[in-house]
Amino acid sequence: MTAAARPTDVMAVASRWAVSSVAVQFAKSLLLLGSQVVLARLLGPADFGIVAMCAPIFGLCCLFNDLGLSQAVIQSPSLSADDSNNIFWINFALGCVLALVLLLLAPALAGFYNDHRVAEVLAALSLVMIVNSLSFQQVALMHRRMQPVPILLIDIAPVLANAIASISAAHLNFGYWAIVIGQMVHALTAGLLAWTLSPFRPARPHALAKALPLMRFGAHLTGLSIASFAATSLSPLLIGRLFGALEVGLFDRGYKLVSMSAVQFLTPLSRIAETSLARLYADPGQYRQAHLQFSEALILFLTPGLVCLAFMSDYAVQVLYGREWIAASDIVRWFSVAGLLAPAGTAASWLFVSQGRTDQMLRYGLIGQLLSVLSLVLGLLWGPVGVAVSAAIFSIPIHGLTLWGATRHGPVSLSHFLNMLFPIGLSIIVSTALLYGASYQVHRLALHPLIALTIGLLTAYSGAGLALCATRPGRRIIRNAQRAAQMVRPGTLSARQSSRHATV
């Protein structure tokens, strides 16, 4: 997609991509949830706890592995062949160095937990670091060119391979190694697909200094990601240290139940939005309209489900993990509440990235992460559930700060965003009220957990939809969705022709 592509063409490609992505994410979520349900019945909380205790250091190394260069590639107005080649080799070099760092740190982390199994798992995961580094650039170029088919295939096929490998290993009594094997198979599958589907092939590195502007852009994103990850990873780290593998296993599964439901959609839709908005930035009116429509769709798509999860967390845990995991239901409930503002915060972050304001994003994000750390410290006084409750309370100033900072400059102001948010907020309030009544009734009738959860989801989304129909701003949102649906129809616009003439 060239920089001169028409706004209607960009939005048409983005609309088709978004619809396809939602369908794929539904399938991916079913695979993820299904595999987690099976694994939760084959493995115990302590098995998940061992891998969760490795997650902080492994995840931190993964952040340095990419260094924010993927988003820099997507957002950059121009990208040469030398730039692409240099970024590939930078990623690969970082992957090798970080794998070595992971190996060197493994014994120390095992000593911290007083569990030798942690060192063994980290040694195996160091190979994943190298494999991942070999395909970052191929995937980033696919996003830049707005090529949804290979992107979506790379998104879902490794998840299927992971599920098959991990469940098979669990059946063979590999214990916590089943989870590690699944992650390794995931990385190998994604890498093979990226190299097969992408025409990009690296040559020798040349003029590395030319990549410095992209590295500066990525460094701001990486700094924020590191701060965010550090604040998030402190939870399992400290809970594992203070309360042991069982408690950190419950905490990890409770948090993951909520995050799997949201992040699986937030991440790909964010890539679509950021790519499209970067192409539309030269036209402030089109940019503003596109951002508000993307934001409407994201918030309406995720928020009713999170409300349902908050009211019916006990049913969700029983359906997905089994009754033996019921102790995680309070953690699920409060993390669902904490996630209610996450879609709005994510939509606000699109403004920073698509406008190249990642330095400002870093400053506001660091303040937000300091609040997250404070939230964790206060919550630990009441154990794992207290951490989730504290996260719900502190989510208001954290996401509010991101929204305020993102709308201070650029075509989308705070008033624009709040005007968009007002009818959606009313519909969520109506949905919440209906869910409260539905939750009371299904608990009183002692319905089967799957039936109760289905009733809750139907109530949440139908209630929000009916509330939108009752107001003029809400009907405008529905009309926007209908116009977006028209763009999806084949032949409506010339988006496909535009995408065929995409340049690097």
Side-chain angles (χ1 to χ4, degrees):
M1 181 68 63
T2 65
R6 291 176 299 178
T8 51
D9 288 346
V10 172
M11 289 304 295
V13 174
S15 297
R16 293 192 183 100
W17 188 1
V19 170
S20 301
S21 181
V22 168
V24 167
Q25 294 311 313
F26 265 122
K28 183 178 175 181
S29 294
L30 290 175
L31 278 173
L32 284 169
L33 291 174
S35 64
Q36 293 304 308
V37 167
V38 176
L39 287 174
R41 285 160 170 77
L42 294 173
L43 305 174
D47 292 317
F48 286 99
I50 292 298
V51 180
M53 288 190 289
C54 299
I57 187 65
F58 175 69
L60 182 62
C61 288
C62 286
L63 292 178
F64 281 103
N65 202 0
D66 180 54
L67 208 61
L69 291 172
S70 293
Q71 284 179 285
V73 168
I74 294 170
Q75 188 272 345
S76 177
S78 61
L79 191 75
S80 68
D82 281 343
D83 290 334
S84 293
N85 193 58
N86 290 336
I87 290 171
F88 170 85
W89 288 110
I90 291 170
N91 280 328
F92 178 61
L94 285 170
C96 294
V97 171
L98 292 168
L100 180 60
V101 169
L102 204 58
L103 285 172
L104 295 174
L105 290 177
L109 195 64
F112 176 78
Y113 289 120
N114 195 26
D115 194 325
H116 68 90
R117 296 172 294 181
V118 172
E120 297 168 356
V121 170
L122 284 174
L125 291 175
S126 65
L127 298 175
V128 174
M129 196 78 60
I130 297 175
V131 173
N132 284 340
S133 69
L134 291 169
S135 58
F136 283 138
Q137 184 61 7
Q138 283 88 339
V139 177
L141 289 173
M142 291 175 188
H143 278 91
R144 179 179 177 82
R145 295 165 179 158
M146 302 184 78
Q147 297 174 309
V149 175
I151 291 169
L152 296 175
L153 182 60
I154 292 172
D155 198 25
I156 193 169
V159 175
L160 177 60
N162 184 338
I164 294 171
S166 58
I167 291 172
S168 299
H171 269 295
L172 295 173
N173 297 319
F174 276 77
Y176 60 88
W177 281 109
I179 304 171
V180 179
I181 290 170
Q183 292 186 26
M184 296 177 73
V185 170
H186 184 287
L188 286 170
T189 305
L192 288 172
L193 283 172
W195 278 79
T196 302
L197 298 174
S198 172
F200 172 76
R201 293 293 181 269
R204 289 184 179 181
H206 177 70
L208 287 172
K210 292 182 179 180
L212 288 177
L214 293 172
M215 293 183 69
R216 280 195 292 269
F217 179 95
H220 293 135
L221 292 175
T222 301
L224 179 57
S225 297
I226 291 170
S228 176
F229 182 82
T232 303
S233 298
L234 277 174
S235 299
L237 191 72
L238 294 178
I239 291 172
R241 175 67 174 174
L242 296 174
F243 302 103
L246 177 62
E247 289 295 329
V248 78
L250 291 170
F251 181 86
D252 176 70
R253 290 299 91 188
Y255 175 75
K256 292 289 177 60
L257 194 153
V258 179
S259 63
M260 280 193 305
S261 306
V263 174
Q264 294 306 317
F265 293 92
L266 282 175
T267 301
L269 291 179
S270 290
R271 285 292 181 92
I272 296 170
E274 289 166 1
T275 303
S276 305
L277 291 171
R279 303 295 183 272
L280 296 173
Y281 187 55
D283 187 332
Q286 289 286 346
Y287 178 94
R288 182 186 309 112
Q289 181 181 4
H291 179 268
L292 295 177
Q293 288 182 6
F294 278 130
S295 302
E296 290 169 353
L298 180 65
I299 296 168
L300 280 170
F301 185 72
L302 289 178
T303 308
L306 289 168
V307 174
C308 176
L309 204 54
F311 277 105
M312 299 187 173
S313 60
D314 51 346
Y315 291 129
V317 169
Q318 291 181 65
V319 168
L320 298 175
Y321 294 159
R323 289 184 178 274
E324 62 271 22
W325 289 83
I326 197 66
S329 62
D330 284 338
I331 296 172
V332 172
R333 175 177 297 109
W334 286 104
F335 271 125
S336 299
V337 175
L340 290 176
L341 293 177
T346 300
S349 72
W350 299 339
L351 298 174
F352 283 123
V353 176
S354 61
Q355 296 171 22
R357 295 161 51 204
T358 53
D359 54 338
Q360 297 175 30
M361 185 178 181
L362 176 61
R363 288 197 294 270
Y364 288 109
L366 288 176
I367 298 173
Q369 297 314 317
L370 287 174
L371 291 175
S372 295
V373 173
L374 177 60
S375 164
L376 169 62
V377 171
L378 294 175
L380 275 174
L381 298 174
W382 291 272
V385 175
V387 173
V389 173
S390 186
I393 296 171
F394 276 79
S395 67
I396 298 173
I398 290 171
H399 293 301
L401 179 66
T402 301
L403 177 58
W404 180 75
T407 55
R408 290 187 67 194
H409 307 285
V412 180
S413 67
L414 182 60
S415 62
H416 289 136
F417 198 93
L418 293 179
N419 286 336
M420 174 275 297
L421 204 57
F422 181 72
I424 297 176
L426 289 179
S427 72
I428 298 303
I429 291 173
V430 172
S431 176
T432 301
L434 293 174
L435 260 173
Y436 176 79
S439 174
Y440 174 79
Q441 289 298 325
V442 297
H443 279 91
R444 187 176 65 85
L445 296 173
L447 297 177
H448 187 277
L450 181 58
I451 296 174
L453 190 60
T454 302
I455 291 173
L457 288 170
L458 291 174
T459 302
Y461 283 97
S462 60
L466 290 173
L468 284 177
C469 293
T471 65
R472 182 179 297 176
R475 290 192 292 272
R476 174 191 56 77
I477 292 174
I478 294 173
R479 287 194 298 271
N480 288 340
Q482 290 173 338
R483 282 195 292 270
Q486 290 174 353
M487 291 183 181
V488 177
R489 296 172 186 169
T492 304
L493 293 169
S494 59
R496 287 182 179 173
Q497 182 179 359
S498 297
S499 62
R500 280 196 295 267
H501 291 86
T503 63
V504 175

